[in-house]
Amino acid sequence: MTSWATTLDTLLRERGPALFGYAYVLTGSAHAAEDLLQDALLRTFRTGRGSRGLDSAHAYVKRAITSAFIDSGRRSAARPRTVTDEGVESVAPDHAGASAETADLHAALLTLPTRERACVVLRYLEDLPIASVAAELGLAQGTVKRYLADGVAKLRDANLGVDFTEHQTIPVTEGRRP
């Protein structure tokens, strides 16, 4: 068994960009994605779960990102909001030359409620089967199917030209910091 410091260093070096990209797709903001990733790393390594190996640490951090994202959606939905021009955070344009379709898809994903977005991201971007999405989110498979059906219907209404078939994943560029 390796030390938690070694595992954390290796995880960030080898899989940090992928974890950041996953958080960015969920949040739509580089700042929020960094906060979410940092929170997930703290949750994972504070409890000692991250010292069991790289694959185990990666799985725990990814699960912690998903859980923290859903929890933040619940908290923000329960609080009243005051929107001002100063407080509005927009999605930064992709300076890496990603297509306009990817930006449109990402903007459409951001309109989905948190659980629908998490289900769509895990199913179509991470290419997980429905059973794995259900296990990851702690939901029943029927509930995941309902969230997927609702989310995909909303994305289809956006006329993005993306085919949401059961065996095709959504084409998305690798998550990079904008």
Side-chain angles (χ1 to χ4, degrees):
M1 190 171 348
T2 60
S3 76
W4 69 268
T6 303
T7 304
L8 177 61
D9 183 52
T10 305
L11 179 71
L12 290 175
R13 190 173 357 95
E14 293 180 13
R15 300 183 185 177
L19 290 168
F20 174 82
Y22 178 65
Y24 182 78
V25 168
L26 289 174
T27 63
S29 160
H31 178 70
E34 287 174 353
D35 288 347
L36 194 61
L37 178 57
Q38 186 175 34
D39 184 46
L41 289 168
L42 284 172
R43 286 181 183 197
T44 302
F45 286 92
R46 175 182 62 207
T47 60
R49 290 183 181 138
S51 62
R52 295 187 180 135
L54 184 61
D55 291 334
S56 177
H58 182 260
Y60 277 115
V61 170
K62 193 170 175 186
R63 173 65 191 234
I65 288 171
T66 304
S67 297
F69 173 71
I70 290 173
D71 290 346
S72 70
R74 284 186 198 133
R75 281 191 301 273
S76 67
R79 294 181 185 151
R81 290 188 188 181
T82 304
V83 179
T84 63
D85 288 340
E86 298 167 7
V88 175
E89 188 173 335
S90 63
V91 177
D94 186 2
H95 299 290
S99 69
E101 293 169 354
T102 301
D104 291 344
L105 174 62
H106 193 243
L109 279 170
L110 294 176
T111 66
L112 297 177
T114 55
R115 287 198 181 232
E116 285 179 17
R117 188 182 327 164
C119 286
V120 168
V121 166
L122 288 172
R123 174 67 188 105
Y124 294 103
L125 271 66
E126 296 292 320
D127 200 25
L128 293 178
I130 290 173
S132 296
V133 173
E136 182 81 19
L137 298 177
L139 300 171
Q141 288 186 31
T143 304
V144 169
K145 289 177 185 178
R146 181 63 187 176
Y147 283 137
L148 286 171
D150 291 348
V152 168
K154 290 173 186 170
L155 292 174
R156 281 192 181 128
D157 289 345
N159 292 323
L160 300 172
V162 177
D163 182 24
F164 294 96
T165 61
E166 212 32 51
H167 300 291
Q168 180 175 346
T169 58
I170 298 172
V172 175
T173 58
E174 180 68 28
R176 299 180 202 274
R177 294 176 190 225

PDB file of all heavy atoms in Angstrom, residues 120 122-131 148 152 156 162-171:
ATOM      1  N   VAL A 120     -27.144  12.174 -17.525  1.00  0.00           N
ATOM      2  CA  VAL A 120     -26.778  12.299 -18.942  1.00  0.00           C
ATOM      3  C   VAL A 120     -25.263  12.277 -19.097  1.00  0.00           C
ATOM      4  O   VAL A 120     -24.724  11.593 -19.981  1.00  0.00           O
ATOM      5  CB  VAL A 120     -27.391  13.577 -19.564  1.00  0.00           C
ATOM      6  CG1 VAL A 120     -26.797  13.867 -20.933  1.00  0.00           C
ATOM      7  CG2 VAL A 120     -28.909  13.443 -19.663  1.00  0.00           C
ATOM      8  N   LEU A 122     -22.963  10.967 -17.039  1.00  0.00           N
ATOM      9  CA  LEU A 122     -22.414   9.646 -16.748  1.00  0.00           C
ATOM     10  C   LEU A 122     -22.769   8.637 -17.837  1.00  0.00           C
ATOM     11  O   LEU A 122     -21.937   7.810 -18.217  1.00  0.00           O
ATOM     12  CB  LEU A 122     -22.923   9.142 -15.394  1.00  0.00           C
ATOM     13  CG  LEU A 122     -22.343   9.849 -14.175  1.00  0.00           C
ATOM     14  CD1 LEU A 122     -23.068   9.414 -12.914  1.00  0.00           C
ATOM     15  CD2 LEU A 122     -20.856   9.594 -14.056  1.00  0.00           C
ATOM     16  N   ARG A 123     -23.976   8.701 -18.362  1.00  0.00           N
ATOM     17  CA  ARG A 123     -24.417   7.723 -19.362  1.00  0.00           C
ATOM     18  C   ARG A 123     -23.771   7.973 -20.721  1.00  0.00           C
ATOM     19  O   ARG A 123     -23.253   7.076 -21.358  1.00  0.00           O
ATOM     20  CB  ARG A 123     -25.954   7.737 -19.487  1.00  0.00           C
ATOM     21  CG  ARG A 123     -26.486   6.862 -20.603  1.00  0.00           C
ATOM     22  CD  ARG A 123     -26.225   5.374 -20.299  1.00  0.00           C
ATOM     23  NE  ARG A 123     -26.562   4.575 -21.439  1.00  0.00           N
ATOM     24  CZ  ARG A 123     -25.671   4.012 -22.256  1.00  0.00           C
ATOM     25  NH1 ARG A 123     -24.386   4.147 -22.024  1.00  0.00           N
ATOM     26  NH2 ARG A 123     -26.066   3.301 -23.277  1.00  0.00           N
ATOM     27  N   TYR A 124     -23.821   9.203 -21.193  1.00  0.00           N
ATOM     28  CA  TYR A 124     -23.399   9.474 -22.563  1.00  0.00           C
ATOM     29  C   TYR A 124     -21.982  10.020 -22.688  1.00  0.00           C
ATOM     30  O   TYR A 124     -21.321   9.755 -23.681  1.00  0.00           O
ATOM     31  CB  TYR A 124     -24.386  10.419 -23.245  1.00  0.00           C
ATOM     32  CG  TYR A 124     -25.735   9.773 -23.435  1.00  0.00           C
ATOM     33  CD1 TYR A 124     -26.805  10.087 -22.619  1.00  0.00           C
ATOM     34  CD2 TYR A 124     -25.913   8.805 -24.407  1.00  0.00           C
ATOM     35  CE1 TYR A 124     -28.040   9.469 -22.780  1.00  0.00           C
ATOM     36  CE2 TYR A 124     -27.135   8.175 -24.577  1.00  0.00           C
ATOM     37  CZ  TYR A 124     -28.191   8.514 -23.756  1.00  0.00           C
ATOM     38  OH  TYR A 124     -29.399   7.889 -23.926  1.00  0.00           O
ATOM     39  N   LEU A 125     -21.491  10.779 -21.727  1.00  0.00           N
ATOM     40  CA  LEU A 125     -20.124  11.274 -21.819  1.00  0.00           C
ATOM     41  C   LEU A 125     -19.131  10.281 -21.239  1.00  0.00           C
ATOM     42  O   LEU A 125     -18.054  10.086 -21.779  1.00  0.00           O
ATOM     43  CB  LEU A 125     -19.984  12.620 -21.112  1.00  0.00           C
ATOM     44  CG  LEU A 125     -20.268  13.845 -21.985  1.00  0.00           C
ATOM     45  CD1 LEU A 125     -21.698  13.895 -22.409  1.00  0.00           C
ATOM     46  CD2 LEU A 125     -19.842  15.096 -21.306  1.00  0.00           C
ATOM     47  N   GLU A 126     -19.498   9.664 -20.112  1.00  0.00           N
ATOM     48  CA  GLU A 126     -18.628   8.668 -19.495  1.00  0.00           C
ATOM     49  C   GLU A 126     -18.888   7.273 -20.042  1.00  0.00           C
ATOM     50  O   GLU A 126     -18.177   6.338 -19.719  1.00  0.00           O
ATOM     51  CB  GLU A 126     -18.813   8.673 -17.980  1.00  0.00           C
ATOM     52  CG  GLU A 126     -18.389   9.963 -17.316  1.00  0.00           C
ATOM     53  CD  GLU A 126     -16.887  10.183 -17.369  1.00  0.00           C
ATOM     54  OE1 GLU A 126     -16.139   9.211 -17.196  1.00  0.00           O
ATOM     55  OE2 GLU A 126     -16.479  11.325 -17.596  1.00  0.00           O
ATOM     56  N   ASP A 127     -19.956   7.111 -20.821  1.00  0.00           N
ATOM     57  CA  ASP A 127     -20.322   5.856 -21.476  1.00  0.00           C
ATOM     58  C   ASP A 127     -20.557   4.722 -20.478  1.00  0.00           C
ATOM     59  O   ASP A 127     -20.203   3.579 -20.733  1.00  0.00           O
ATOM     60  CB  ASP A 127     -19.266   5.469 -22.512  1.00  0.00           C
ATOM     61  CG  ASP A 127     -19.797   4.476 -23.548  1.00  0.00           C
ATOM     62  OD1 ASP A 127     -21.032   4.459 -23.761  1.00  0.00           O
ATOM     63  OD2 ASP A 127     -19.002   3.720 -24.116  1.00  0.00           O
ATOM     64  N   LEU A 128     -21.168   5.057 -19.346  1.00  0.00           N
ATOM     65  CA  LEU A 128     -21.488   4.040 -18.352  1.00  0.00           C
ATOM     66  C   LEU A 128     -22.845   3.414 -18.668  1.00  0.00           C
ATOM     67  O   LEU A 128     -23.760   4.110 -19.102  1.00  0.00           O
ATOM     68  CB  LEU A 128     -21.554   4.647 -16.950  1.00  0.00           C
ATOM     69  CG  LEU A 128     -20.253   5.171 -16.360  1.00  0.00           C
ATOM     70  CD1 LEU A 128     -20.520   5.774 -14.974  1.00  0.00           C
ATOM     71  CD2 LEU A 128     -19.218   4.075 -16.258  1.00  0.00           C
ATOM     72  N   PRO A 129     -23.004   2.127 -18.416  1.00  0.00           N
ATOM     73  CA  PRO A 129     -24.329   1.520 -18.566  1.00  0.00           C
ATOM     74  C   PRO A 129     -25.268   2.051 -17.483  1.00  0.00           C
ATOM     75  O   PRO A 129     -24.828   2.565 -16.452  1.00  0.00           O
ATOM     76  CB  PRO A 129     -24.074   0.022 -18.408  1.00  0.00           C
ATOM     77  CG  PRO A 129     -22.735  -0.100 -17.786  1.00  0.00           C
ATOM     78  CD  PRO A 129     -21.978   1.163 -18.055  1.00  0.00           C
ATOM     79  N   ILE A 130     -26.554   1.905 -17.711  1.00  0.00           N
ATOM     80  CA  ILE A 130     -27.558   2.431 -16.792  1.00  0.00           C
ATOM     81  C   ILE A 130     -27.366   1.877 -15.386  1.00  0.00           C
ATOM     82  O   ILE A 130     -27.483   2.606 -14.397  1.00  0.00           O
ATOM     83  CB  ILE A 130     -28.977   2.157 -17.324  1.00  0.00           C
ATOM     84  CG1 ILE A 130     -29.208   3.032 -18.560  1.00  0.00           C
ATOM     85  CG2 ILE A 130     -30.041   2.412 -16.266  1.00  0.00           C
ATOM     86  CD1 ILE A 130     -30.490   2.778 -19.297  1.00  0.00           C
ATOM     87  N   ALA A 131     -27.038   0.603 -15.267  1.00  0.00           N
ATOM     88  CA  ALA A 131     -26.822   0.006 -13.945  1.00  0.00           C
ATOM     89  C   ALA A 131     -25.671   0.694 -13.211  1.00  0.00           C
ATOM     90  O   ALA A 131     -25.749   0.936 -12.000  1.00  0.00           O
ATOM     91  CB  ALA A 131     -26.545  -1.487 -14.081  1.00  0.00           C
ATOM     92  N   LEU A 148     -32.824  10.159 -17.535  1.00  0.00           N
ATOM     93  CA  LEU A 148     -32.234  10.153 -18.869  1.00  0.00           C
ATOM     94  C   LEU A 148     -33.262  10.520 -19.932  1.00  0.00           C
ATOM     95  O   LEU A 148     -32.980  11.314 -20.828  1.00  0.00           O
ATOM     96  CB  LEU A 148     -31.631   8.783 -19.182  1.00  0.00           C
ATOM     97  CG  LEU A 148     -30.325   8.441 -18.482  1.00  0.00           C
ATOM     98  CD1 LEU A 148     -29.959   6.985 -18.716  1.00  0.00           C
ATOM     99  CD2 LEU A 148     -29.206   9.354 -18.939  1.00  0.00           C
ATOM    100  N   VAL A 152     -32.673  13.809 -22.063  1.00  0.00           N
ATOM    101  CA  VAL A 152     -32.468  13.654 -23.507  1.00  0.00           C
ATOM    102  C   VAL A 152     -33.572  14.360 -24.285  1.00  0.00           C
ATOM    103  O   VAL A 152     -33.313  14.992 -25.313  1.00  0.00           O
ATOM    104  CB  VAL A 152     -32.360  12.154 -23.880  1.00  0.00           C
ATOM    105  CG1 VAL A 152     -32.452  11.951 -25.380  1.00  0.00           C
ATOM    106  CG2 VAL A 152     -31.047  11.587 -23.356  1.00  0.00           C
ATOM    107  N   ARG A 156     -32.882  17.109 -27.013  1.00  0.00           N
ATOM    108  CA  ARG A 156     -33.393  16.985 -28.380  1.00  0.00           C
ATOM    109  C   ARG A 156     -34.166  18.222 -28.790  1.00  0.00           C
ATOM    110  O   ARG A 156     -34.096  18.659 -29.932  1.00  0.00           O
ATOM    111  CB  ARG A 156     -34.276  15.746 -28.505  1.00  0.00           C
ATOM    112  CG  ARG A 156     -33.493  14.477 -28.644  1.00  0.00           C
ATOM    113  CD  ARG A 156     -34.383  13.312 -29.055  1.00  0.00           C
ATOM    114  NE  ARG A 156     -33.582  12.118 -29.150  1.00  0.00           N
ATOM    115  CZ  ARG A 156     -33.854  10.977 -28.546  1.00  0.00           C
ATOM    116  NH1 ARG A 156     -34.957  10.858 -27.817  1.00  0.00           N
ATOM    117  NH2 ARG A 156     -33.062   9.947 -28.671  1.00  0.00           N
ATOM    118  N   VAL A 162     -27.375  16.029 -32.189  1.00  0.00           N
ATOM    119  CA  VAL A 162     -26.678  14.919 -31.557  1.00  0.00           C
ATOM    120  C   VAL A 162     -27.647  13.753 -31.456  1.00  0.00           C
ATOM    121  O   VAL A 162     -28.791  13.917 -31.036  1.00  0.00           O
ATOM    122  CB  VAL A 162     -26.167  15.307 -30.148  1.00  0.00           C
ATOM    123  CG1 VAL A 162     -25.502  14.124 -29.473  1.00  0.00           C
ATOM    124  CG2 VAL A 162     -25.206  16.466 -30.254  1.00  0.00           C
ATOM    125  N   ASP A 163     -27.181  12.573 -31.848  1.00  0.00           N
ATOM    126  CA  ASP A 163     -28.007  11.377 -31.802  1.00  0.00           C
ATOM    127  C   ASP A 163     -27.809  10.697 -30.449  1.00  0.00           C
ATOM    128  O   ASP A 163     -26.724  10.230 -30.138  1.00  0.00           O
ATOM    129  CB  ASP A 163     -27.608  10.434 -32.944  1.00  0.00           C
ATOM    130  CG  ASP A 163     -28.462   9.177 -32.986  1.00  0.00           C
ATOM    131  OD1 ASP A 163     -29.603   9.210 -32.475  1.00  0.00           O
ATOM    132  OD2 ASP A 163     -27.983   8.173 -33.532  1.00  0.00           O
ATOM    133  N   PHE A 164     -28.859  10.657 -29.655  1.00  0.00           N
ATOM    134  CA  PHE A 164     -28.790  10.048 -28.328  1.00  0.00           C
ATOM    135  C   PHE A 164     -29.305   8.624 -28.394  1.00  0.00           C
ATOM    136  O   PHE A 164     -30.331   8.297 -27.835  1.00  0.00           O
ATOM    137  CB  PHE A 164     -29.631  10.846 -27.330  1.00  0.00           C
ATOM    138  CG  PHE A 164     -29.095  12.216 -27.068  1.00  0.00           C
ATOM    139  CD1 PHE A 164     -29.596  13.305 -27.748  1.00  0.00           C
ATOM    140  CD2 PHE A 164     -28.102  12.409 -26.139  1.00  0.00           C
ATOM    141  CE1 PHE A 164     -29.109  14.569 -27.508  1.00  0.00           C
ATOM    142  CE2 PHE A 164     -27.610  13.674 -25.887  1.00  0.00           C
ATOM    143  CZ  PHE A 164     -28.114  14.756 -26.579  1.00  0.00           C
ATOM    144  N   THR A 165     -28.577   7.752 -29.072  1.00  0.00           N
ATOM    145  CA  THR A 165     -28.967   6.351 -29.109  1.00  0.00           C
ATOM    146  C   THR A 165     -28.341   5.629 -27.932  1.00  0.00           C
ATOM    147  O   THR A 165     -27.434   6.133 -27.283  1.00  0.00           O
ATOM    148  CB  THR A 165     -28.526   5.675 -30.425  1.00  0.00           C
ATOM    149  OG1 THR A 165     -27.101   5.740 -30.506  1.00  0.00           O
ATOM    150  CG2 THR A 165     -29.164   6.342 -31.625  1.00  0.00           C
ATOM    151  N   GLU A 166     -28.796   4.457 -27.677  1.00  0.00           N
ATOM    152  CA  GLU A 166     -28.368   3.694 -26.513  1.00  0.00           C
ATOM    153  C   GLU A 166     -26.891   3.311 -26.582  1.00  0.00           C
ATOM    154  O   GLU A 166     -26.252   3.119 -25.576  1.00  0.00           O
ATOM    155  CB  GLU A 166     -29.228   2.437 -26.430  1.00  0.00           C
ATOM    156  CG  GLU A 166     -29.535   1.894 -25.077  1.00  0.00           C
ATOM    157  CD  GLU A 166     -29.670   2.862 -23.917  1.00  0.00           C
ATOM    158  OE1 GLU A 166     -30.402   3.848 -23.993  1.00  0.00           O
ATOM    159  OE2 GLU A 166     -29.016   2.606 -22.899  1.00  0.00           O
ATOM    160  N   HIS A 167     -26.308   3.216 -27.775  1.00  0.00           N
ATOM    161  CA  HIS A 167     -24.921   2.747 -27.889  1.00  0.00           C
ATOM    162  C   HIS A 167     -23.979   3.799 -28.447  1.00  0.00           C
ATOM    163  O   HIS A 167     -22.881   3.493 -28.847  1.00  0.00           O
ATOM    164  CB  HIS A 167     -24.852   1.497 -28.763  1.00  0.00           C
ATOM    165  CG  HIS A 167     -25.663   0.374 -28.208  1.00  0.00           C
ATOM    166  ND1 HIS A 167     -25.316  -0.293 -27.057  1.00  0.00           N
ATOM    167  CD2 HIS A 167     -26.828  -0.175 -28.613  1.00  0.00           C
ATOM    168  CE1 HIS A 167     -26.208  -1.223 -26.792  1.00  0.00           C
ATOM    169  NE2 HIS A 167     -27.142  -1.168 -27.711  1.00  0.00           N
ATOM    170  N   GLN A 168     -24.411   5.027 -28.497  1.00  0.00           N
ATOM    171  CA  GLN A 168     -23.549   6.079 -29.030  1.00  0.00           C
ATOM    172  C   GLN A 168     -23.303   7.115 -27.946  1.00  0.00           C
ATOM    173  O   GLN A 168     -24.206   7.522 -27.248  1.00  0.00           O
ATOM    174  CB  GLN A 168     -24.211   6.757 -30.226  1.00  0.00           C
ATOM    175  CG  GLN A 168     -23.362   7.854 -30.822  1.00  0.00           C
ATOM    176  CD  GLN A 168     -24.012   8.417 -32.069  1.00  0.00           C
ATOM    177  OE1 GLN A 168     -24.921   7.832 -32.608  1.00  0.00           O
ATOM    178  NE2 GLN A 168     -23.533   9.548 -32.516  1.00  0.00           N
ATOM    179  N   THR A 169     -22.064   7.541 -27.814  1.00  0.00           N
ATOM    180  CA  THR A 169     -21.746   8.559 -26.830  1.00  0.00           C
ATOM    181  C   THR A 169     -21.739   9.922 -27.500  1.00  0.00           C
ATOM    182  O   THR A 169     -21.568  10.039 -28.710  1.00  0.00           O
ATOM    183  CB  THR A 169     -20.368   8.300 -26.189  1.00  0.00           C
ATOM    184  OG1 THR A 169     -19.382   8.276 -27.211  1.00  0.00           O
ATOM    185  CG2 THR A 169     -20.372   6.996 -25.423  1.00  0.00           C
ATOM    186  N   ILE A 170     -21.924  10.944 -26.705  1.00  0.00           N
ATOM    187  CA  ILE A 170     -21.930  12.306 -27.209  1.00  0.00           C
ATOM    188  C   ILE A 170     -20.493  12.699 -27.515  1.00  0.00           C
ATOM    189  O   ILE A 170     -19.604  12.534 -26.682  1.00  0.00           O
ATOM    190  CB  ILE A 170     -22.523  13.261 -26.157  1.00  0.00           C
ATOM    191  CG1 ILE A 170     -23.963  12.873 -25.867  1.00  0.00           C
ATOM    192  CG2 ILE A 170     -22.436  14.705 -26.625  1.00  0.00           C
ATOM    193  CD1 ILE A 170     -24.571  13.623 -24.709  1.00  0.00           C
ATOM    194  N   PRO A 171     -20.223  13.269 -28.703  1.00  0.00           N
ATOM    195  CA  PRO A 171     -18.867  13.693 -29.016  1.00  0.00           C
ATOM    196  C   PRO A 171     -18.516  14.969 -28.247  1.00  0.00           C
ATOM    197  O   PRO A 171     -19.132  15.996 -28.447  1.00  0.00           O
ATOM    198  CB  PRO A 171     -18.910  13.939 -30.521  1.00  0.00           C
ATOM    199  CG  PRO A 171     -20.335  14.279 -30.792  1.00  0.00           C
ATOM    200  CD  PRO A 171     -21.146  13.508 -29.795  1.00  0.00           C
TER     201      PRO A 171
END
